[in-house]
Amino acid sequence: MNKMKQMDDAIYDIIVTMTDAEKREFAELFTPTLSSLLPAGFSLSNKQTFFMIMRQQPKYTPMREFIMLLGDRHGVDVSFIADRPIIPKEGLYGGSGNSGKSYMLSALGLTTADTYGLDVRVFTAEKQAKSFSGGVGKQIYQWIEPLIKSRIIKNDEEKAILTFPSGGTIHFCGLDNERAWEKYKGGNIAEMIFDEVTGIHPESYRKQIAGWCRKSPRAFQIGYTANASAATNPHGKHVAFYRERFVDGGGKDTFYLKALPKDNPFIDYESYKRDLEISGDPVFAAQMLEGRWDIMPAGDLFKPGCIREVADIPANGITKRGWDIAATTKKKSNYTAGVKMRYHEGIYYIMDVDVFKEAPNENDKRMRLNAQIDGRTCEIVTELQPAAAGKYLEEHFNKKLFNGFTHKSIGVPNDKAVRARPLSVACANGLVCIWSSCRNKYEFLEQLVAFPNGTDDDMVDACTLVFNAIQEQVANYTGST
């Protein structure tokens, strides 16, 4: 049995002996400033208690001593708290709806800021960051509102920063796209919290995790190991990336604790279960009730695993990038997506997938940058637009945006399923592969399997466009590829 498994078992041994009163006493140690505000009857579920213990620091005295006291009181070995290994850098709690995820993340953030006197960043959607909406923001505000009104806790509304008597802070940050991380570089951040993490772009998540400063003087003084905690339901735009990172194995720096609605002592589970079961959406019900990461709304064109992953791409072949271009950047508008594909000896290789939502000028810059990286041997394909609009776009593409590169606009059927049928047939026959280092690989494959029933289809549209363009050239080509 490895050391982490032994520690997990030891934590559960102490949890199952704890009374509700002891769990409340343990919770009161989270935040001295707020302990008097905890409602009557407040307690923790076993899994909530486990997650809090798992994220505690070896050198923090009050919680460590309380756990040791419980060990003596109940005759349980709690030596793990004294000489435990470094806590995993990243933890994910949740996997279903109403399992107390936001509650746990809020408690962790408050503990770090109020008790340790350290700095916390809470990452969420941009609109939620400054309005105390969303799961974590709403929960924290409910707890601390009296202390904000009495000015015990300072609230900088413009910067969305809470400052506690200990000197610790909680900074609410919007992290909606792959470039959002650039706004939050550096800083002595001890705890990063990601609320509904499957809505956060993987690139911004990776950059935040890789780039934070973990050696603040205060953290070093008290022996605090910086870490990141996330929570989510098992669906969302980027669910495939986080499932791979945490649920399907993870690594020594990550751990996943599955929590279910029945683990949350604060909801009417039977009523919640009944409402989901009669909702008419069995996939959503299974995700929210059972924490199922392995199911999704399925389309009828592409099966899971229909595109195999390869470590290498042939150096030569017919190479094109197809673009599905969004008209606006409104919240409910589509994304712009570009798929680069190469055909070589009967196989179609997906080499790169770029997807983004930018203002028109930034859109153009991003597409031209891709063209420059792809090189002049990679033809650019866009959808032919009708009438005057099409003529204007052709001129814009050829004389400005893609000037110096080979560009072609092609007509496509209005029915997206009809467009995708040739690609579907090729995938079913094992003729399509994807490079293991392809950007947005997981998100693309997730979107492909859900097509045409999924919420988004931008990457699939770009892929079918470039596939059809290459297939047409192959059909008329007599040379070697």
Side-chain angles (χ1 to χ4, degrees), residues 170-205:
I170 298 180
H171 183 189
F172 292 87
C173 309
L175 208 62
D176 286 348
N177 59 61
E178 71 270 37
R179 293 185 178 178
W181 67 274
E182 296 174 353
K183 297 183 292 185
Y184 309 113
K185 293 179 181 178
N188 296 321
I189 308 305
E191 178 82 31
M192 288 190 176
I193 289 174
F194 296 87
D195 192 16
E196 293 300 343
V197 71
T198 52
I200 291 175
H201 196 284
E203 187 66 12
S204 276
Y205 180 88

PDB file of all heavy atoms in Angstrom, residues 170-205:
ATOM      1  N   ILE A 170      -8.636  37.996  -0.329  1.00  0.00           N
ATOM      2  CA  ILE A 170      -9.254  37.155  -1.352  1.00  0.00           C
ATOM      3  C   ILE A 170      -9.551  38.048  -2.543  1.00  0.00           C
ATOM      4  O   ILE A 170     -10.275  39.030  -2.428  1.00  0.00           O
ATOM      5  CB  ILE A 170     -10.550  36.491  -0.861  1.00  0.00           C
ATOM      6  CG1 ILE A 170     -10.265  35.557   0.314  1.00  0.00           C
ATOM      7  CG2 ILE A 170     -11.194  35.700  -2.007  1.00  0.00           C
ATOM      8  CD1 ILE A 170     -11.515  34.858   0.859  1.00  0.00           C
ATOM      9  N   HIS A 171      -8.970  37.703  -3.687  1.00  0.00           N
ATOM     10  CA  HIS A 171      -9.117  38.486  -4.909  1.00  0.00           C
ATOM     11  C   HIS A 171      -9.935  37.666  -5.906  1.00  0.00           C
ATOM     12  O   HIS A 171      -9.538  36.556  -6.276  1.00  0.00           O
ATOM     13  CB  HIS A 171      -7.736  38.808  -5.493  1.00  0.00           C
ATOM     14  CG  HIS A 171      -7.774  39.660  -6.719  1.00  0.00           C
ATOM     15  ND1 HIS A 171      -6.645  39.899  -7.486  1.00  0.00           N
ATOM     16  CD2 HIS A 171      -8.786  40.342  -7.315  1.00  0.00           C
ATOM     17  CE1 HIS A 171      -6.979  40.678  -8.497  1.00  0.00           C
ATOM     18  NE2 HIS A 171      -8.258  40.953  -8.411  1.00  0.00           N
ATOM     19  N   PHE A 172     -11.088  38.186  -6.331  1.00  0.00           N
ATOM     20  CA  PHE A 172     -11.941  37.492  -7.292  1.00  0.00           C
ATOM     21  C   PHE A 172     -11.531  37.891  -8.708  1.00  0.00           C
ATOM     22  O   PHE A 172     -11.475  39.076  -9.033  1.00  0.00           O
ATOM     23  CB  PHE A 172     -13.413  37.829  -7.040  1.00  0.00           C
ATOM     24  CG  PHE A 172     -13.933  37.276  -5.755  1.00  0.00           C
ATOM     25  CD1 PHE A 172     -13.804  37.987  -4.564  1.00  0.00           C
ATOM     26  CD2 PHE A 172     -14.522  36.024  -5.712  1.00  0.00           C
ATOM     27  CE1 PHE A 172     -14.260  37.474  -3.371  1.00  0.00           C
ATOM     28  CE2 PHE A 172     -14.992  35.497  -4.517  1.00  0.00           C
ATOM     29  CZ  PHE A 172     -14.854  36.215  -3.345  1.00  0.00           C
ATOM     30  N   CYS A 173     -11.242  36.897  -9.538  1.00  0.00           N
ATOM     31  CA  CYS A 173     -10.663  37.143 -10.857  1.00  0.00           C
ATOM     32  C   CYS A 173     -11.458  36.429 -11.945  1.00  0.00           C
ATOM     33  O   CYS A 173     -11.831  35.269 -11.786  1.00  0.00           O
ATOM     34  CB  CYS A 173      -9.218  36.633 -10.914  1.00  0.00           C
ATOM     35  SG  CYS A 173      -8.154  37.206  -9.562  1.00  0.00           S
ATOM     36  N   GLY A 174     -11.694  37.123 -13.058  1.00  0.00           N
ATOM     37  CA  GLY A 174     -12.368  36.509 -14.200  1.00  0.00           C
ATOM     38  C   GLY A 174     -11.365  35.773 -15.066  1.00  0.00           C
ATOM     39  O   GLY A 174     -10.285  36.294 -15.372  1.00  0.00           O
ATOM     40  N   LEU A 175     -11.695  34.567 -15.461  1.00  0.00           N
ATOM     41  CA  LEU A 175     -10.759  33.748 -16.242  1.00  0.00           C
ATOM     42  C   LEU A 175     -11.550  33.024 -17.334  1.00  0.00           C
ATOM     43  O   LEU A 175     -11.707  31.811 -17.313  1.00  0.00           O
ATOM     44  CB  LEU A 175     -10.057  32.739 -15.328  1.00  0.00           C
ATOM     45  CG  LEU A 175      -8.658  32.269 -15.739  1.00  0.00           C
ATOM     46  CD1 LEU A 175      -7.682  33.428 -15.783  1.00  0.00           C
ATOM     47  CD2 LEU A 175      -8.144  31.209 -14.774  1.00  0.00           C
ATOM     48  N   ASP A 176     -12.032  33.796 -18.314  1.00  0.00           N
ATOM     49  CA  ASP A 176     -12.962  33.243 -19.295  1.00  0.00           C
ATOM     50  C   ASP A 176     -12.316  32.669 -20.550  1.00  0.00           C
ATOM     51  O   ASP A 176     -12.909  31.846 -21.222  1.00  0.00           O
ATOM     52  CB  ASP A 176     -13.953  34.328 -19.728  1.00  0.00           C
ATOM     53  CG  ASP A 176     -14.988  34.625 -18.653  1.00  0.00           C
ATOM     54  OD1 ASP A 176     -15.078  33.850 -17.692  1.00  0.00           O
ATOM     55  OD2 ASP A 176     -15.688  35.636 -18.773  1.00  0.00           O
ATOM     56  N   ASN A 177     -11.122  33.138 -20.904  1.00  0.00           N
ATOM     57  CA  ASN A 177     -10.536  32.673 -22.161  1.00  0.00           C
ATOM     58  C   ASN A 177      -9.062  32.337 -21.978  1.00  0.00           C
ATOM     59  O   ASN A 177      -8.508  32.463 -20.888  1.00  0.00           O
ATOM     60  CB  ASN A 177     -10.718  33.725 -23.257  1.00  0.00           C
ATOM     61  CG  ASN A 177     -10.071  35.055 -22.891  1.00  0.00           C
ATOM     62  OD1 ASN A 177      -8.872  35.156 -22.684  1.00  0.00           O
ATOM     63  ND2 ASN A 177     -10.898  36.102 -22.782  1.00  0.00           N
ATOM     64  N   GLU A 178      -8.426  31.908 -23.061  1.00  0.00           N
ATOM     65  CA  GLU A 178      -7.053  31.399 -22.949  1.00  0.00           C
ATOM     66  C   GLU A 178      -6.017  32.469 -22.689  1.00  0.00           C
ATOM     67  O   GLU A 178      -4.878  32.165 -22.333  1.00  0.00           O
ATOM     68  CB  GLU A 178      -6.674  30.609 -24.204  1.00  0.00           C
ATOM     69  CG  GLU A 178      -6.471  31.417 -25.470  1.00  0.00           C
ATOM     70  CD  GLU A 178      -7.753  31.568 -26.276  1.00  0.00           C
ATOM     71  OE1 GLU A 178      -8.838  31.711 -25.676  1.00  0.00           O
ATOM     72  OE2 GLU A 178      -7.667  31.570 -27.514  1.00  0.00           O
ATOM     73  N   ARG A 179      -6.394  33.750 -22.832  1.00  0.00           N
ATOM     74  CA  ARG A 179      -5.447  34.829 -22.573  1.00  0.00           C
ATOM     75  C   ARG A 179      -5.704  35.546 -21.251  1.00  0.00           C
ATOM     76  O   ARG A 179      -4.952  36.438 -20.873  1.00  0.00           O
ATOM     77  CB  ARG A 179      -5.497  35.854 -23.714  1.00  0.00           C
ATOM     78  CG  ARG A 179      -4.980  35.312 -25.036  1.00  0.00           C
ATOM     79  CD  ARG A 179      -4.941  36.398 -26.091  1.00  0.00           C
ATOM     80  NE  ARG A 179      -4.406  35.913 -27.346  1.00  0.00           N
ATOM     81  CZ  ARG A 179      -4.287  36.644 -28.442  1.00  0.00           C
ATOM     82  NH1 ARG A 179      -4.649  37.919 -28.425  1.00  0.00           N
ATOM     83  NH2 ARG A 179      -3.793  36.122 -29.547  1.00  0.00           N
ATOM     84  N   ALA A 180      -6.773  35.181 -20.580  1.00  0.00           N
ATOM     85  CA  ALA A 180      -7.152  35.886 -19.351  1.00  0.00           C
ATOM     86  C   ALA A 180      -6.074  35.791 -18.285  1.00  0.00           C
ATOM     87  O   ALA A 180      -5.935  36.690 -17.447  1.00  0.00           O
ATOM     88  CB  ALA A 180      -8.467  35.342 -18.820  1.00  0.00           C
ATOM     89  N   TRP A 181      -5.293  34.713 -18.286  1.00  0.00           N
ATOM     90  CA  TRP A 181      -4.250  34.523 -17.267  1.00  0.00           C
ATOM     91  C   TRP A 181      -3.232  35.649 -17.273  1.00  0.00           C
ATOM     92  O   TRP A 181      -2.591  35.921 -16.243  1.00  0.00           O
ATOM     93  CB  TRP A 181      -3.541  33.191 -17.502  1.00  0.00           C
ATOM     94  CG  TRP A 181      -2.735  33.143 -18.769  1.00  0.00           C
ATOM     95  CD1 TRP A 181      -3.184  32.816 -20.008  1.00  0.00           C
ATOM     96  CD2 TRP A 181      -1.354  33.469 -18.913  1.00  0.00           C
ATOM     97  NE1 TRP A 181      -2.175  32.905 -20.930  1.00  0.00           N
ATOM     98  CE2 TRP A 181      -1.033  33.302 -20.280  1.00  0.00           C
ATOM     99  CE3 TRP A 181      -0.353  33.872 -18.034  1.00  0.00           C
ATOM    100  CZ2 TRP A 181       0.239  33.541 -20.781  1.00  0.00           C
ATOM    101  CZ3 TRP A 181       0.921  34.108 -18.533  1.00  0.00           C
ATOM    102  CH2 TRP A 181       1.210  33.927 -19.892  1.00  0.00           C
ATOM    103  N   GLU A 182      -3.069  36.323 -18.425  1.00  0.00           N
ATOM    104  CA  GLU A 182      -2.051  37.372 -18.529  1.00  0.00           C
ATOM    105  C   GLU A 182      -2.326  38.541 -17.592  1.00  0.00           C
ATOM    106  O   GLU A 182      -1.426  39.284 -17.225  1.00  0.00           O
ATOM    107  CB  GLU A 182      -1.956  37.861 -19.975  1.00  0.00           C
ATOM    108  CG  GLU A 182      -1.484  36.780 -20.951  1.00  0.00           C
ATOM    109  CD  GLU A 182      -1.525  37.240 -22.393  1.00  0.00           C
ATOM    110  OE1 GLU A 182      -2.042  38.357 -22.635  1.00  0.00           O
ATOM    111  OE2 GLU A 182      -1.054  36.497 -23.270  1.00  0.00           O
ATOM    112  N   LYS A 183      -3.606  38.698 -17.182  1.00  0.00           N
ATOM    113  CA  LYS A 183      -3.959  39.803 -16.273  1.00  0.00           C
ATOM    114  C   LYS A 183      -3.519  39.525 -14.844  1.00  0.00           C
ATOM    115  O   LYS A 183      -3.519  40.426 -14.006  1.00  0.00           O
ATOM    116  CB  LYS A 183      -5.477  40.022 -16.300  1.00  0.00           C
ATOM    117  CG  LYS A 183      -6.033  40.448 -17.640  1.00  0.00           C
ATOM    118  CD  LYS A 183      -7.531  40.717 -17.558  1.00  0.00           C
ATOM    119  CE  LYS A 183      -8.322  39.448 -17.321  1.00  0.00           C
ATOM    120  NZ  LYS A 183      -9.790  39.692 -17.355  1.00  0.00           N
ATOM    121  N   TYR A 184      -3.161  38.272 -14.541  1.00  0.00           N
ATOM    122  CA  TYR A 184      -2.916  37.896 -13.149  1.00  0.00           C
ATOM    123  C   TYR A 184      -1.547  37.262 -12.972  1.00  0.00           C
ATOM    124  O   TYR A 184      -1.382  36.305 -12.227  1.00  0.00           O
ATOM    125  CB  TYR A 184      -4.008  36.929 -12.680  1.00  0.00           C
ATOM    126  CG  TYR A 184      -5.396  37.435 -12.946  1.00  0.00           C
ATOM    127  CD1 TYR A 184      -6.225  36.797 -13.876  1.00  0.00           C
ATOM    128  CD2 TYR A 184      -5.886  38.566 -12.295  1.00  0.00           C
ATOM    129  CE1 TYR A 184      -7.500  37.271 -14.136  1.00  0.00           C
ATOM    130  CE2 TYR A 184      -7.156  39.040 -12.555  1.00  0.00           C
ATOM    131  CZ  TYR A 184      -7.960  38.395 -13.477  1.00  0.00           C
ATOM    132  OH  TYR A 184      -9.225  38.868 -13.735  1.00  0.00           O
ATOM    133  N   LYS A 185      -0.560  37.782 -13.669  1.00  0.00           N
ATOM    134  CA  LYS A 185       0.790  37.247 -13.553  1.00  0.00           C
ATOM    135  C   LYS A 185       1.395  37.610 -12.199  1.00  0.00           C
ATOM    136  O   LYS A 185       1.137  38.673 -11.645  1.00  0.00           O
ATOM    137  CB  LYS A 185       1.689  37.806 -14.656  1.00  0.00           C
ATOM    138  CG  LYS A 185       1.325  37.354 -16.057  1.00  0.00           C
ATOM    139  CD  LYS A 185       2.267  37.993 -17.074  1.00  0.00           C
ATOM    140  CE  LYS A 185       1.918  37.574 -18.486  1.00  0.00           C
ATOM    141  NZ  LYS A 185       2.797  38.231 -19.486  1.00  0.00           N
ATOM    142  N   GLY A 186       2.249  36.714 -11.688  1.00  0.00           N
ATOM    143  CA  GLY A 186       3.014  37.016 -10.481  1.00  0.00           C
ATOM    144  C   GLY A 186       2.165  37.087  -9.231  1.00  0.00           C
ATOM    145  O   GLY A 186       1.005  36.691  -9.197  1.00  0.00           O
ATOM    146  N   GLY A 187       2.773  37.604  -8.180  1.00  0.00           N
ATOM    147  CA  GLY A 187       2.069  37.738  -6.913  1.00  0.00           C
ATOM    148  C   GLY A 187       2.371  36.598  -5.969  1.00  0.00           C
ATOM    149  O   GLY A 187       2.614  35.462  -6.386  1.00  0.00           O
ATOM    150  N   ASN A 188       2.370  36.901  -4.685  1.00  0.00           N
ATOM    151  CA  ASN A 188       2.630  35.881  -3.665  1.00  0.00           C
ATOM    152  C   ASN A 188       1.325  35.188  -3.279  1.00  0.00           C
ATOM    153  O   ASN A 188       0.785  35.375  -2.199  1.00  0.00           O
ATOM    154  CB  ASN A 188       3.280  36.532  -2.436  1.00  0.00           C
ATOM    155  CG  ASN A 188       4.647  37.109  -2.760  1.00  0.00           C
ATOM    156  OD1 ASN A 188       5.413  36.521  -3.509  1.00  0.00           O
ATOM    157  ND2 ASN A 188       4.945  38.282  -2.209  1.00  0.00           N
ATOM    158  N   ILE A 189       0.818  34.400  -4.157  1.00  0.00           N
ATOM    159  CA  ILE A 189      -0.490  33.765  -3.972  1.00  0.00           C
ATOM    160  C   ILE A 189      -0.302  32.402  -3.327  1.00  0.00           C
ATOM    161  O   ILE A 189       0.424  31.541  -3.838  1.00  0.00           O
ATOM    162  CB  ILE A 189      -1.228  33.615  -5.315  1.00  0.00           C
ATOM    163  CG1 ILE A 189      -1.274  34.954  -6.047  1.00  0.00           C
ATOM    164  CG2 ILE A 189      -2.624  33.067  -5.086  1.00  0.00           C
ATOM    165  CD1 ILE A 189      -1.879  36.077  -5.250  1.00  0.00           C
ATOM    166  N   ALA A 190      -0.968  32.202  -2.192  1.00  0.00           N
ATOM    167  CA  ALA A 190      -0.827  30.942  -1.462  1.00  0.00           C
ATOM    168  C   ALA A 190      -1.859  29.908  -1.884  1.00  0.00           C
ATOM    169  O   ALA A 190      -1.593  28.713  -1.864  1.00  0.00           O
ATOM    170  CB  ALA A 190      -0.941  31.208   0.043  1.00  0.00           C
ATOM    171  N   GLU A 191      -3.048  30.370  -2.233  1.00  0.00           N
ATOM    172  CA  GLU A 191      -4.131  29.441  -2.590  1.00  0.00           C
ATOM    173  C   GLU A 191      -4.835  29.945  -3.841  1.00  0.00           C
ATOM    174  O   GLU A 191      -5.226  31.103  -3.922  1.00  0.00           O
ATOM    175  CB  GLU A 191      -5.148  29.325  -1.451  1.00  0.00           C
ATOM    176  CG  GLU A 191      -6.322  28.430  -1.749  1.00  0.00           C
ATOM    177  CD  GLU A 191      -6.025  26.956  -1.537  1.00  0.00           C
ATOM    178  OE1 GLU A 191      -5.203  26.636  -0.667  1.00  0.00           O
ATOM    179  OE2 GLU A 191      -6.632  26.130  -2.238  1.00  0.00           O
ATOM    180  N   MET A 192      -4.961  29.068  -4.825  1.00  0.00           N
ATOM    181  CA  MET A 192      -5.764  29.366  -6.008  1.00  0.00           C
ATOM    182  C   MET A 192      -7.018  28.504  -5.969  1.00  0.00           C
ATOM    183  O   MET A 192      -6.933  27.297  -5.753  1.00  0.00           O
ATOM    184  CB  MET A 192      -4.980  29.091  -7.284  1.00  0.00           C
ATOM    185  CG  MET A 192      -3.889  30.098  -7.552  1.00  0.00           C
ATOM    186  SD  MET A 192      -3.201  29.877  -9.207  1.00  0.00           S
ATOM    187  CE  MET A 192      -2.054  31.253  -9.266  1.00  0.00           C
ATOM    188  N   ILE A 193      -8.153  29.130  -6.174  1.00  0.00           N
ATOM    189  CA  ILE A 193      -9.434  28.428  -6.157  1.00  0.00           C
ATOM    190  C   ILE A 193     -10.110  28.625  -7.514  1.00  0.00           C
ATOM    191  O   ILE A 193     -10.213  29.752  -7.997  1.00  0.00           O
ATOM    192  CB  ILE A 193     -10.324  28.960  -5.022  1.00  0.00           C
ATOM    193  CG1 ILE A 193      -9.750  28.509  -3.673  1.00  0.00           C
ATOM    194  CG2 ILE A 193     -11.761  28.501  -5.182  1.00  0.00           C
ATOM    195  CD1 ILE A 193     -10.465  29.095  -2.475  1.00  0.00           C
ATOM    196  N   PHE A 194     -10.542  27.532  -8.112  1.00  0.00           N
ATOM    197  CA  PHE A 194     -11.177  27.573  -9.426  1.00  0.00           C
ATOM    198  C   PHE A 194     -12.617  27.087  -9.277  1.00  0.00           C
ATOM    199  O   PHE A 194     -12.854  25.910  -9.026  1.00  0.00           O
ATOM    200  CB  PHE A 194     -10.414  26.701 -10.414  1.00  0.00           C
ATOM    201  CG  PHE A 194      -9.006  27.168 -10.681  1.00  0.00           C
ATOM    202  CD1 PHE A 194      -7.958  26.769  -9.862  1.00  0.00           C
ATOM    203  CD2 PHE A 194      -8.731  28.010 -11.744  1.00  0.00           C
ATOM    204  CE1 PHE A 194      -6.664  27.196 -10.097  1.00  0.00           C
ATOM    205  CE2 PHE A 194      -7.432  28.446 -11.986  1.00  0.00           C
ATOM    206  CZ  PHE A 194      -6.395  28.040 -11.159  1.00  0.00           C
ATOM    207  N   ASP A 195     -13.557  28.017  -9.434  1.00  0.00           N
ATOM    208  CA  ASP A 195     -14.979  27.706  -9.275  1.00  0.00           C
ATOM    209  C   ASP A 195     -15.557  27.271 -10.620  1.00  0.00           C
ATOM    210  O   ASP A 195     -15.374  27.956 -11.621  1.00  0.00           O
ATOM    211  CB  ASP A 195     -15.710  28.937  -8.754  1.00  0.00           C
ATOM    212  CG  ASP A 195     -17.124  28.634  -8.298  1.00  0.00           C
ATOM    213  OD1 ASP A 195     -17.443  27.449  -8.108  1.00  0.00           O
ATOM    214  OD2 ASP A 195     -17.898  29.593  -8.117  1.00  0.00           O
ATOM    215  N   GLU A 196     -16.270  26.124 -10.648  1.00  0.00           N
ATOM    216  CA  GLU A 196     -16.779  25.542 -11.900  1.00  0.00           C
ATOM    217  C   GLU A 196     -15.678  25.532 -12.950  1.00  0.00           C
ATOM    218  O   GLU A 196     -15.763  26.154 -14.013  1.00  0.00           O
ATOM    219  CB  GLU A 196     -18.016  26.296 -12.392  1.00  0.00           C
ATOM    220  CG  GLU A 196     -19.224  26.128 -11.479  1.00  0.00           C
ATOM    221  CD  GLU A 196     -19.683  24.671 -11.328  1.00  0.00           C
ATOM    222  OE1 GLU A 196     -19.298  23.817 -12.155  1.00  0.00           O
ATOM    223  OE2 GLU A 196     -20.420  24.384 -10.360  1.00  0.00           O
ATOM    224  N   VAL A 197     -14.640  24.769 -12.663  1.00  0.00           N
ATOM    225  CA  VAL A 197     -13.401  24.828 -13.420  1.00  0.00           C
ATOM    226  C   VAL A 197     -13.556  24.386 -14.871  1.00  0.00           C
ATOM    227  O   VAL A 197     -12.777  24.801 -15.734  1.00  0.00           O
ATOM    228  CB  VAL A 197     -12.299  24.007 -12.705  1.00  0.00           C
ATOM    229  CG1 VAL A 197     -12.572  22.510 -12.801  1.00  0.00           C
ATOM    230  CG2 VAL A 197     -10.917  24.343 -13.240  1.00  0.00           C
ATOM    231  N   THR A 198     -14.559  23.550 -15.195  1.00  0.00           N
ATOM    232  CA  THR A 198     -14.711  23.116 -16.584  1.00  0.00           C
ATOM    233  C   THR A 198     -15.120  24.254 -17.512  1.00  0.00           C
ATOM    234  O   THR A 198     -15.102  24.105 -18.732  1.00  0.00           O
ATOM    235  CB  THR A 198     -15.735  21.973 -16.711  1.00  0.00           C
ATOM    236  OG1 THR A 198     -16.955  22.358 -16.072  1.00  0.00           O
ATOM    237  CG2 THR A 198     -15.212  20.706 -16.068  1.00  0.00           C
ATOM    238  N   GLY A 199     -15.483  25.406 -16.950  1.00  0.00           N
ATOM    239  CA  GLY A 199     -15.768  26.586 -17.759  1.00  0.00           C
ATOM    240  C   GLY A 199     -14.544  27.456 -17.964  1.00  0.00           C
ATOM    241  O   GLY A 199     -14.599  28.459 -18.681  1.00  0.00           O
ATOM    242  N   ILE A 200     -13.419  27.102 -17.346  1.00  0.00           N
ATOM    243  CA  ILE A 200     -12.183  27.880 -17.451  1.00  0.00           C
ATOM    244  C   ILE A 200     -11.295  27.265 -18.530  1.00  0.00           C
ATOM    245  O   ILE A 200     -11.048  26.062 -18.536  1.00  0.00           O
ATOM    246  CB  ILE A 200     -11.460  27.926 -16.097  1.00  0.00           C
ATOM    247  CG1 ILE A 200     -12.281  28.772 -15.114  1.00  0.00           C
ATOM    248  CG2 ILE A 200     -10.051  28.493 -16.230  1.00  0.00           C
ATOM    249  CD1 ILE A 200     -11.740  28.791 -13.701  1.00  0.00           C
ATOM    250  N   HIS A 201     -10.813  28.099 -19.430  1.00  0.00           N
ATOM    251  CA  HIS A 201     -10.028  27.604 -20.559  1.00  0.00           C
ATOM    252  C   HIS A 201      -8.759  26.893 -20.060  1.00  0.00           C
ATOM    253  O   HIS A 201      -8.045  27.412 -19.190  1.00  0.00           O
ATOM    254  CB  HIS A 201      -9.628  28.759 -21.481  1.00  0.00           C
ATOM    255  CG  HIS A 201      -9.158  28.317 -22.826  1.00  0.00           C
ATOM    256  ND1 HIS A 201      -7.916  27.769 -23.030  1.00  0.00           N
ATOM    257  CD2 HIS A 201      -9.779  28.309 -24.035  1.00  0.00           C
ATOM    258  CE1 HIS A 201      -7.771  27.468 -24.311  1.00  0.00           C
ATOM    259  NE2 HIS A 201      -8.888  27.777 -24.939  1.00  0.00           N
ATOM    260  N   PRO A 202      -8.469  25.702 -20.574  1.00  0.00           N
ATOM    261  CA  PRO A 202      -7.296  24.937 -20.111  1.00  0.00           C
ATOM    262  C   PRO A 202      -5.988  25.709 -20.187  1.00  0.00           C
ATOM    263  O   PRO A 202      -5.131  25.563 -19.314  1.00  0.00           O
ATOM    264  CB  PRO A 202      -7.281  23.725 -21.054  1.00  0.00           C
ATOM    265  CG  PRO A 202      -8.699  23.534 -21.434  1.00  0.00           C
ATOM    266  CD  PRO A 202      -9.277  24.921 -21.540  1.00  0.00           C
ATOM    267  N   GLU A 203      -5.823  26.546 -21.222  1.00  0.00           N
ATOM    268  CA  GLU A 203      -4.575  27.291 -21.355  1.00  0.00           C
ATOM    269  C   GLU A 203      -4.395  28.263 -20.193  1.00  0.00           C
ATOM    270  O   GLU A 203      -3.306  28.382 -19.631  1.00  0.00           O
ATOM    271  CB  GLU A 203      -4.555  28.043 -22.683  1.00  0.00           C
ATOM    272  CG  GLU A 203      -3.235  28.733 -23.005  1.00  0.00           C
ATOM    273  CD  GLU A 203      -2.084  27.766 -23.245  1.00  0.00           C
ATOM    274  OE1 GLU A 203      -2.325  26.554 -23.393  1.00  0.00           O
ATOM    275  OE2 GLU A 203      -0.931  28.233 -23.254  1.00  0.00           O
ATOM    276  N   SER A 204      -5.467  28.955 -19.809  1.00  0.00           N
ATOM    277  CA  SER A 204      -5.371  29.874 -18.674  1.00  0.00           C
ATOM    278  C   SER A 204      -5.145  29.109 -17.381  1.00  0.00           C
ATOM    279  O   SER A 204      -4.395  29.550 -16.503  1.00  0.00           O
ATOM    280  CB  SER A 204      -6.640  30.723 -18.567  1.00  0.00           C
ATOM    281  OG  SER A 204      -6.562  31.849 -19.413  1.00  0.00           O
ATOM    282  N   TYR A 205      -5.790  27.950 -17.229  1.00  0.00           N
ATOM    283  CA  TYR A 205      -5.565  27.139 -16.022  1.00  0.00           C
ATOM    284  C   TYR A 205      -4.104  26.704 -15.940  1.00  0.00           C
ATOM    285  O   TYR A 205      -3.451  26.844 -14.898  1.00  0.00           O
ATOM    286  CB  TYR A 205      -6.481  25.914 -16.039  1.00  0.00           C
ATOM    287  CG  TYR A 205      -6.308  25.034 -14.818  1.00  0.00           C
ATOM    288  CD1 TYR A 205      -7.038  25.275 -13.659  1.00  0.00           C
ATOM    289  CD2 TYR A 205      -5.394  23.978 -14.809  1.00  0.00           C
ATOM    290  CE1 TYR A 205      -6.869  24.487 -12.527  1.00  0.00           C
ATOM    291  CE2 TYR A 205      -5.217  23.188 -13.686  1.00  0.00           C
ATOM    292  CZ  TYR A 205      -5.958  23.439 -12.552  1.00  0.00           C
ATOM    293  OH  TYR A 205      -5.780  22.659 -11.427  1.00  0.00           O
TER     294      TYR A 205
END
